[in-house]
Amino acid sequence: MVISATGTASSSGWSKFELSQFVHIMPPKDGVQAFSFVGKPPTVASLPKLEPGKDALAVIHNIDVANSWGPGIPLTGIRIVACSNSIEQTV
């Protein structure tokens, strides 16, 4: 399964965006796997302007959607969480 997201940085200089998968100790009640949309912050002074078009990608190999969280516990969706919002998609 390939998961991609495009976001907007709050200032210039952000780089290396990625989707960081949440680690769940117990299966989530809603069956949704969450990812954080994160990037490397600027290392020098940056301009306070919105910079759209920042892409991130995650790949989940060998996923069994019907039993993702254990026998009979399906993956029901994907949630991408950013600093100011989130988005969810069912699978």
PDB file of all heavy atoms in Angstrom, residues 11-15 39-47:
ATOM      1  N   SER A  11       6.616  28.292   6.700  1.00  0.00           N
ATOM      2  CA  SER A  11       7.688  29.240   6.395  1.00  0.00           C
ATOM      3  C   SER A  11       8.629  28.606   5.378  1.00  0.00           C
ATOM      4  O   SER A  11       8.553  27.414   5.100  1.00  0.00           O
ATOM      5  CB  SER A  11       8.462  29.618   7.665  1.00  0.00           C
ATOM      6  OG  SER A  11       9.129  28.498   8.196  1.00  0.00           O
ATOM      7  N   SER A  12       9.538  29.384   4.858  1.00  0.00           N
ATOM      8  CA  SER A  12      10.499  28.864   3.892  1.00  0.00           C
ATOM      9  C   SER A  12      11.544  28.013   4.600  1.00  0.00           C
ATOM     10  O   SER A  12      11.707  28.088   5.820  1.00  0.00           O
ATOM     11  CB  SER A  12      11.175  30.021   3.150  1.00  0.00           C
ATOM     12  OG  SER A  12      11.920  30.814   4.062  1.00  0.00           O
ATOM     13  N   GLY A  13      12.254  27.198   3.855  1.00  0.00           N
ATOM     14  CA  GLY A  13      13.379  26.445   4.387  1.00  0.00           C
ATOM     15  C   GLY A  13      13.090  25.047   4.882  1.00  0.00           C
ATOM     16  O   GLY A  13      14.016  24.314   5.223  1.00  0.00           O
ATOM     17  N   TRP A  14      11.824  24.648   4.956  1.00  0.00           N
ATOM     18  CA  TRP A  14      11.502  23.289   5.386  1.00  0.00           C
ATOM     19  C   TRP A  14      11.884  22.306   4.285  1.00  0.00           C
ATOM     20  O   TRP A  14      11.797  22.602   3.104  1.00  0.00           O
ATOM     21  CB  TRP A  14      10.012  23.169   5.697  1.00  0.00           C
ATOM     22  CG  TRP A  14       9.635  23.807   6.997  1.00  0.00           C
ATOM     23  CD1 TRP A  14       9.387  25.132   7.214  1.00  0.00           C
ATOM     24  CD2 TRP A  14       9.481  23.163   8.248  1.00  0.00           C
ATOM     25  NE1 TRP A  14       9.083  25.340   8.530  1.00  0.00           N
ATOM     26  CE2 TRP A  14       9.123  24.148   9.202  1.00  0.00           C
ATOM     27  CE3 TRP A  14       9.606  21.845   8.673  1.00  0.00           C
ATOM     28  CZ2 TRP A  14       8.895  23.855  10.533  1.00  0.00           C
ATOM     29  CZ3 TRP A  14       9.367  21.556  10.001  1.00  0.00           C
ATOM     30  CH2 TRP A  14       9.016  22.548  10.918  1.00  0.00           C
ATOM     31  N   SER A  15      12.292  21.081   4.678  1.00  0.00           N
ATOM     32  CA  SER A  15      12.714  20.086   3.689  1.00  0.00           C
ATOM     33  C   SER A  15      12.471  18.676   4.216  1.00  0.00           C
ATOM     34  O   SER A  15      12.051  18.486   5.355  1.00  0.00           O
ATOM     35  CB  SER A  15      14.200  20.269   3.366  1.00  0.00           C
ATOM     36  OG  SER A  15      14.980  20.061   4.530  1.00  0.00           O
ATOM     37  N   GLY A  39       8.456  17.315   8.688  1.00  0.00           N
ATOM     38  CA  GLY A  39       9.555  17.750   7.840  1.00  0.00           C
ATOM     39  C   GLY A  39      10.701  18.262   8.690  1.00  0.00           C
ATOM     40  O   GLY A  39      10.554  18.500   9.890  1.00  0.00           O
ATOM     41  N   LYS A  40      11.837  18.438   8.046  1.00  0.00           N
ATOM     42  CA  LYS A  40      13.015  18.971   8.725  1.00  0.00           C
ATOM     43  C   LYS A  40      12.899  20.496   8.742  1.00  0.00           C
ATOM     44  O   LYS A  40      12.771  21.117   7.684  1.00  0.00           O
ATOM     45  CB  LYS A  40      14.284  18.532   7.997  1.00  0.00           C
ATOM     46  CG  LYS A  40      15.548  18.990   8.658  1.00  0.00           C
ATOM     47  CD  LYS A  40      16.771  18.503   7.914  1.00  0.00           C
ATOM     48  CE  LYS A  40      18.006  19.055   8.607  1.00  0.00           C
ATOM     49  NZ  LYS A  40      19.197  18.846   7.807  1.00  0.00           N
ATOM     50  N   PRO A  41      12.959  21.120   9.941  1.00  0.00           N
ATOM     51  CA  PRO A  41      12.798  22.580  10.016  1.00  0.00           C
ATOM     52  C   PRO A  41      14.005  23.320   9.441  1.00  0.00           C
ATOM     53  O   PRO A  41      15.083  22.744   9.295  1.00  0.00           O
ATOM     54  CB  PRO A  41      12.644  22.845  11.516  1.00  0.00           C
ATOM     55  CG  PRO A  41      13.266  21.678  12.182  1.00  0.00           C
ATOM     56  CD  PRO A  41      13.112  20.513  11.255  1.00  0.00           C
ATOM     57  N   PRO A  42      13.819  24.603   9.133  1.00  0.00           N
ATOM     58  CA  PRO A  42      14.920  25.400   8.592  1.00  0.00           C
ATOM     59  C   PRO A  42      16.084  25.485   9.576  1.00  0.00           C
ATOM     60  O   PRO A  42      15.878  25.518  10.792  1.00  0.00           O
ATOM     61  CB  PRO A  42      14.303  26.783   8.388  1.00  0.00           C
ATOM     62  CG  PRO A  42      12.841  26.624   8.545  1.00  0.00           C
ATOM     63  CD  PRO A  42      12.595  25.361   9.278  1.00  0.00           C
ATOM     64  N   THR A  43      17.289  25.516   9.048  1.00  0.00           N
ATOM     65  CA  THR A  43      18.481  25.641   9.905  1.00  0.00           C
ATOM     66  C   THR A  43      19.004  27.068   9.936  1.00  0.00           C
ATOM     67  O   THR A  43      19.892  27.380  10.725  1.00  0.00           O
ATOM     68  CB  THR A  43      19.602  24.699   9.412  1.00  0.00           C
ATOM     69  OG1 THR A  43      19.884  25.004   8.046  1.00  0.00           O
ATOM     70  CG2 THR A  43      19.177  23.246   9.534  1.00  0.00           C
ATOM     71  N   VAL A  44      18.486  27.913   9.082  1.00  0.00           N
ATOM     72  CA  VAL A  44      18.861  29.333   9.041  1.00  0.00           C
ATOM     73  C   VAL A  44      17.577  30.160   9.078  1.00  0.00           C
ATOM     74  O   VAL A  44      16.478  29.616   9.056  1.00  0.00           O
ATOM     75  CB  VAL A  44      19.683  29.670   7.767  1.00  0.00           C
ATOM     76  CG1 VAL A  44      21.004  28.915   7.768  1.00  0.00           C
ATOM     77  CG2 VAL A  44      18.904  29.348   6.506  1.00  0.00           C
ATOM     78  N   ALA A  45      17.723  31.475   9.136  1.00  0.00           N
ATOM     79  CA  ALA A  45      16.555  32.354   9.152  1.00  0.00           C
ATOM     80  C   ALA A  45      15.642  32.035   7.970  1.00  0.00           C
ATOM     81  O   ALA A  45      16.105  31.753   6.870  1.00  0.00           O
ATOM     82  CB  ALA A  45      17.002  33.810   9.097  1.00  0.00           C
ATOM     83  N   SER A  46      14.341  32.050   8.209  1.00  0.00           N
ATOM     84  CA  SER A  46      13.383  31.722   7.164  1.00  0.00           C
ATOM     85  C   SER A  46      12.357  32.832   7.029  1.00  0.00           C
ATOM     86  O   SER A  46      12.172  33.643   7.940  1.00  0.00           O
ATOM     87  CB  SER A  46      12.701  30.388   7.468  1.00  0.00           C
ATOM     88  OG  SER A  46      11.982  30.476   8.669  1.00  0.00           O
ATOM     89  N   LEU A  47      11.690  32.839   5.898  1.00  0.00           N
ATOM     90  CA  LEU A  47      10.651  33.827   5.638  1.00  0.00           C
ATOM     91  C   LEU A  47       9.302  33.302   6.112  1.00  0.00           C
ATOM     92  O   LEU A  47       8.956  32.153   5.843  1.00  0.00           O
ATOM     93  CB  LEU A  47      10.585  34.136   4.138  1.00  0.00           C
ATOM     94  CG  LEU A  47      11.852  34.715   3.519  1.00  0.00           C
ATOM     95  CD1 LEU A  47      11.702  34.816   2.003  1.00  0.00           C
ATOM     96  CD2 LEU A  47      12.168  36.072   4.117  1.00  0.00           C
TER      97      LEU A  47
END
